[in-house]
Amino acid sequence: MTDITRDVVIVGAGVSGLTAANELVKAGKTVAVLEARDRVGGRLWTREIDGAMLEIGGQWVSPDQDALIGTLEDLGLETYSRYREGDSVYIDADGALTTFTGEIFPVSAETQREMERLIGVLDELVAEIGIAAPWDHPRAKELDTITWKAWLEAQTEDQEARDNIGLFIAEAMLTKPSHAISALQAIQMAASAGSFTHLVDSDFILDKRVVGGLQSVPIALAEKLGGDVFLNQPVRRIEHDDDSVTVVADGMTVSAKRVIVAVPPNLYSRIDFQPALPRRQHQMHQHLSLGLVIKVHAVYDRPFWREAGLSGTAFSPYETVHEAYDNTNHGDSKGTLVGFVSDETADGLFELSEEERKHRILTSLSHYYGEQALTPEVYYESDWGTEEWTRGAYAASFDLGGLSRYGADLRTPVGVIHWSCSDLAAEGFQHVDGAIRVGRETAAVIADELNA
Ligand code: FAD
């Protein structure tokens, strides 16, 4: 067992923990980052599978994500645009396929009007409630105790409009069923991206990718820290008092003045805090859980859909794969599609054999792109639910009533223990941008405390 001493110890080498560590080093503090896995990056993981470079976790960058864009610039990483030339595809409840351009799905004029009206209502609510403290808004409790599903039902009788607007938040963002999240949580998700309109606009929200993969960010951040990042060190115990902390991992112990727990909040209870955390944290942490999504990658000898004038962008709340995109790598002659299977649909698929699941998913892709989609050269399903140090995807959100009840305390330190993660962010909530923002803010608070 190695014993070391630092100013600050960071639990978790995801992008949030690594950002905080780098900021603290810039502020003249010594750090140690303890990571459970044998790699850095957490939910960012760029891997080669059967010769194909795949983004197993997070990958897209949108133009409002200043913190991430600034980090990419600082690290000298380049971006490229997602392929988006040509028509998008929509499949309705009857299985009918229509192509379209722009953001609004090709539905009847009446449904289109309803969708546009709902987007307008949501944009207004987002502007009014804001992202800094949605729990402080006078309507917070009212909106947090009604499900996203029930809220949509109260707004319109148009089922297809509800299904489509619901999809943008439930299946596509929070990756939980619309009956399991509150309207306030949906509004917070939209506010974290600037507006509901931004979420609907895939050209905005899924704008760019990083050459070499988004895991290049945590890898580069870890390299800057040199020997202060320790892999294969799951933290089991945190002993803390008024001004010091001892963090015990499998192969080492770090004594420090502060600790940053930079892991998703669903994993806090895996750590034995001594003394135990206060009642409010114990309760709050039980109301936060990760959603579930299967991210599917299918690589073909060429991007065949482009020959048919398709952009690769496809949506349907009625399909197994509810959204899919051209995910061809920069400068690659092979064509890659990426699709997503969310929450309860994913549960159903995990009941099947691997072969049957693959068949169902590829059949769904073939509904969008034709028969050629059935025979990829490389096929891979990212399954974060089986990852011990994540346990779901994309990120954590509150159950009904949780955001208004606990939101204000999400990041409140407990003595020398601080929290940092994309799932605790305001702007960039559940995204890499948010992970960086929270990492920077947490580091700044600690540097000030230690300098006082
Ligand atoms: P994590 O990345 O979860 O890092 C936490 C780290 O802590 C992990 O390395 C973990 O191993 C470690 N850890 C956990 N417990 C312990 C312990 N006890 N001891 C030591 N170490 C521990 N975001 C985007 O911006 N764009 C996207 O396109 C996008 N797509 C996504 C697609 C998928 C499939 C997934 C899963 C996520 C996606 N995201 C996306 C979200 C984004 O990846 C995350 O918001 C972000 O990476 C979280 O960073 P983090 O540092 O807060 O947490």
Side-chain angles (χ1 to χ4, degrees):
M1 198 78 162
T2 314
D3 283 350
I4 60 172
T5 301
R6 295 288 192 275
D7 291 325
V8 184
V9 54
I10 293 108
V11 182
V15 78
S16 199
L18 290 167
T19 299
N22 272 281
E23 293 298 311
L24 286 161
V25 169
K26 279 188 221 161
K29 308 301 168 201
T30 57
V31 300
V33 183
L34 305 188
E35 167 57 47
R37 289 176 161 107
D38 60 1
R39 61 171 183 85
V40 300
R43 281 171 276 174
L44 299 183
W45 194 10
T46 310
R47 275 182 77 188
E48 202 173 299
I49 308 273
D50 299 334
M53 196 271 261
L54 303 179
E55 291 282 37
I56 308 301
Q59 61 169 69
W60 281 298
V61 183
S62 59
D64 60 328
Q65 295 179 332
D66 306 337
L68 172 55
I69 291 169
T71 299
L72 293 171
E73 283 166 6
D74 289 348
L75 298 174
L77 294 168
E78 284 174 36
T79 59
Y80 61 102
S81 293
R82 181 173 59 83
Y83 184 82
R84 62 190 73 170
E85 311 304 317
D87 290 339
S88 305
V89 175
Y90 173 74
I91 296 179
D92 71 13
D94 299 324
L97 178 150
T98 331
T99 57
F100 69 106
T101 52
E103 290 119 51
I104 294 288
F105 300 162
V107 286
S108 70
E110 199 181 318
T111 298
Q112 179 166 343
R113 265 197 307 278
E114 272 306 84
M115 285 178 65
E116 282 166 350
R117 190 181 64 76
L118 284 172
I119 292 169
V121 171
L122 284 160
D123 275 347
E124 270 175 36
L125 276 170
V126 164
E128 192 188 315
I129 291 174
I131 189 57
W135 42 85
D136 277 347
H137 191 273
R139 292 186 61 197
K141 187 152 188 196
E142 168 208 330
L143 290 165
D144 203 27
T145 47
I146 178 169
T147 66
W148 175 227
K149 183 171 189 276
W151 186 86
L152 286 165
E153 281 165 356
Q155 299 296 316
T156 178
E157 294 193 345
D158 187 321
Q159 179 74 46
E160 193 173 13
R162 290 204 298 256
D163 293 342
N164 284 332
I165 296 296
L167 170 84
F168 288 114
I169 295 282
E171 289 91 340
M173 278 287 164
L174 297 171
T175 60
K176 289 182 177 177
S178 59
H179 61 254
I181 50 179
S182 76
L184 187 68
Q185 185 82 80
I187 290 162
Q188 184 213 22
M189 181 78 242
S192 74
S195 66
F196 197 85
T197 296
H198 282 167
L199 293 189
V200 175
D201 182 357
S202 57
D203 285 352
F204 181 90
I205 205 82
L206 312 178
D207 182 27
K208 296 224 182 310
R209 293 180 56 195
V210 172
V211 177
L214 196 47
Q215 197 193 1
S216 310
V217 171
I219 289 172
L221 290 173
E223 273 166 10
K224 282 172 172 257
L225 297 168
D228 285 326
V229 179
F230 301 88
L231 301 179
N232 300 307
Q233 294 298 335
V235 167
R236 309 291 183 183
R237 194 164 74 246
I238 295 182
E239 296 161 8
H240 56 113
D241 59 27
D242 288 347
D243 48 20
S244 71
V245 63
T246 303
V247 172
V248 182
D250 279 3
M252 61 193 294
T253 298
V254 187
S255 304
K257 296 171 190 150
R258 297 286 184 280
V259 59
I260 301 177
V261 179
V263 314
N266 61 309
L267 298 181
Y268 295 160
S269 65
R270 294 219 56 198
I271 300 172
D272 174 14
F273 292 91
Q274 293 290 344
L277 295 176
R279 176 195 306 109
R280 192 153 174 82
Q281 272 71 19
H282 275 171
Q283 276 286 300
M284 171 170 67
H285 298 160
Q286 293 180 71
H287 291 268
L288 284 156
S289 59
L290 263 74
L292 178 65
V293 69
I294 310 173
K295 182 176 183 182
V296 179
H297 316 255
V299 184
Y300 303 86
D301 64 346
R302 62 188 203 290
F304 65 85
W305 52 94
R306 295 183 190 175
E307 293 157 15
L310 298 179
S311 63
T313 304
F315 295 100
S316 175
Y318 312 107
E319 276 292 327
T320 298
V321 175
H322 67 263
E323 59 182 320
Y325 304 91
D326 185 322
N327 213 32
T328 303
N329 291 324
H330 181 63
D332 197 349
S333 61
K334 307 259 182 199
T336 303
L337 290 171
V338 65
F340 297 88
V341 182
S342 206
D343 58 75
E344 290 175 335
T345 311
D347 282 351
L349 290 194
F350 283 129
E351 296 292 311
L352 305 174
S353 70
E354 214 174 293
E355 269 313 299
E356 180 61 16
R357 187 167 61 247
K358 176 178 173 183
H359 177 69
R360 287 274 197 94
I361 290 173
L362 288 176
T363 301
S364 183
L365 287 180
S366 78
H367 295 162
Y368 293 120
Y369 309 106
E371 296 264 298
Q372 281 167 288
L374 290 169
T375 49
E377 290 180 349
V378 178
Y379 175 86
Y380 185 79
E381 294 165 8
S382 299
D383 168 19
W384 288 87
T386 56
E387 289 276 327
E388 184 182 7
W389 302 107
T390 305
R391 303 187 171 197
Y394 309 110
S397 51
F398 277 111
D399 56 14
L400 221 58
L403 181 59
S404 56
R405 185 172 172 191
Y406 297 113
D409 275 332
L410 257 180
R411 286 166 57 188
T412 306
V414 175
V416 294
I417 306 169
H418 293 248
W419 318 96
S420 188
C421 181
S422 67
D423 311 8
L424 314 180
E427 284 94 350
F429 171 55
Q430 295 206 344
H431 284 76
V432 178
D433 182 71
I436 293 171
R437 287 173 195 269
V438 182
R440 284 182 188 162
E441 288 161 17
T442 309
V445 169
I446 292 178
D448 282 353
E449 279 180 15
L450 296 182
N451 289 338

